[in-house]
């Protein structure tokens, strides 16, 4: 067995690997922040991290994956902040605003990197670990939105004595629609001069429409059936 004089080689290898990974992460994080995604090369990241160029690709297969690696950690922090400061109760519009506002502000810290991150998340390889991680963060935000909507439904349709509460419809489609609004507006804002306040106001206005549609579904009899249309002609 290894002694203090003979350290475990496997443990030393793991520490070296972890150290290199952290240096690559720090180098990519700093360079993307300083120069923007398009101007950074993997060679520059390797030089800043003091590793061989080939070593970088042991930890991320491409520059897009390096951006996902860095951005995922920042996105997770913004999401954790939003979750932590989500009011436990209140109007649905206020709770959704509290959940989405930190994400919008995070996205505007660097427009170029946000646009590149969205593209890599949407169109990257399904086999890449950091893209998978990004999609998991997307799902996590959608789940939080769905929870807010479901809670609002339960409060609004609680029923009365002798009358059962209405079961909540599946909130997942509404949550996906809200996320789509957030994603599209965030990427669009990176190519315009719109202020973060104006961007956020537009997002929350659309979110309000979607949440109202979820909480006040139209009765089925409002829809005109095919047979009714046929009988009317």
């Amino acid at each position: 067995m290894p002694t203090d004089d003979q350290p475990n080689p496997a443990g030393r290898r793991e520490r070296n690997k972890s150290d290199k990974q952290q240096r690559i992460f720090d180098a990519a994080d700093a360079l993307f922040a300083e120069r923007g995604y398009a101007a950074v090369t993997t060679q520059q990241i390797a030089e800043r991290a003091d590793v061989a160029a080939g070593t970088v690709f042991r930890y991320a297969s491409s520059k897009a994956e390096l951006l996902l690696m860095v951005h995922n950690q920042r996105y997770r922090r913004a999401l954790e902040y939003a979750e932590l400061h989500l009011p436990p109760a209140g109007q649905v519009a206020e709770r959704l605003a509290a959940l989405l506002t930190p994400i919008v502000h995070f996205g505007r810290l660097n427009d170029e990197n946000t646009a590149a991150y969205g593209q890599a998340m949407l169109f990257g390889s399904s086999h890449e670990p950091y893209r998978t991680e990004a999609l998991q963060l997307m799902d996590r935000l959608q789940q939080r939105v769905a929870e807010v909507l479901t809670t609002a439904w339960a409060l609004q349709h609680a029923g009365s004595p002798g009358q059962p509460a209405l079961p909540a419809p599946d909130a997942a489609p509404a949550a996906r629609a809200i996320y789509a609004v957030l994603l599209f507006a965030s990427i669009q804002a990176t190519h315009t001069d719109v202020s973060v306040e104006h961007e956020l106001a537009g997002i929350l206005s659309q979110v309000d429409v979607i949440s109202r549609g979820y909480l006040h579904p139209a009765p089925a009899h409002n829809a005109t059936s095919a047979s009714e249309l046929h009988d009317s002609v």
Side-chain angles (χ1 to χ4, degrees), residues 11-30:
R12 185 168 60 248
R13 282 195 299 271
E14 286 302 312
R15 288 193 299 274
N16 289 339
K17 181 179 178 181
S18 178
D19 176 66
K20 286 181 181 178
Q21 184 174 27
Q22 187 62 52
R23 296 201 326 258
I24 292 168
F25 178 95
D26 291 341
D29 189 21

Side-chain angles (χ1 to χ4, degrees), residues 153-184:
W153 174 278
L155 292 172
Q156 190 160 308
H157 302 276
S160 57
Q163 222 175 13
L166 292 174
D170 183 11
R176 285 195 294 271
I178 287 173
Y179 184 84
V181 165
L182 172 69
L183 182 63
F184 179 78

Side-chain angles (χ1 to χ4, degrees), residues 92 96 99-100 138-153 168-183 203-217:
V92 63
L96 288 174
L99 189 58
L100 300 179
M138 177 187 74
D139 288 342
R140 177 171 160 182
L141 178 56
Q142 290 184 37
Q143 289 170 11
R144 297 295 172 267
V145 171
E147 289 165 5
V148 170
L149 292 173
T150 303
T151 299
W153 174 278
D170 183 11
R176 285 195 294 271
I178 287 173
Y179 184 84
V181 165
L182 172 69
L183 182 63
I203 290 171
L204 295 181
S205 177
Q206 295 177 75
V207 167
D208 184 58
V209 171
I210 296 169
S211 60
R212 286 176 184 273
Y214 172 78
L215 294 172
H216 304 279

Side-chain angles (χ1 to χ4, degrees), residues 16-56:
N16 289 339
K17 181 179 178 181
S18 178
D19 176 66
K20 286 181 181 178
Q21 184 174 27
Q22 187 62 52
R23 296 201 326 258
I24 292 168
F25 178 95
D26 291 341
D29 189 21
L31 285 168
F32 288 140
E34 292 168 11
R35 306 179 187 181
Y37 178 75
V40 175
T41 67
T42 54
Q43 179 63 42
Q44 291 168 344
I45 292 172
E47 290 171 359
R48 177 75 66 96
D50 194 24
V51 298
T55 301
V56 171

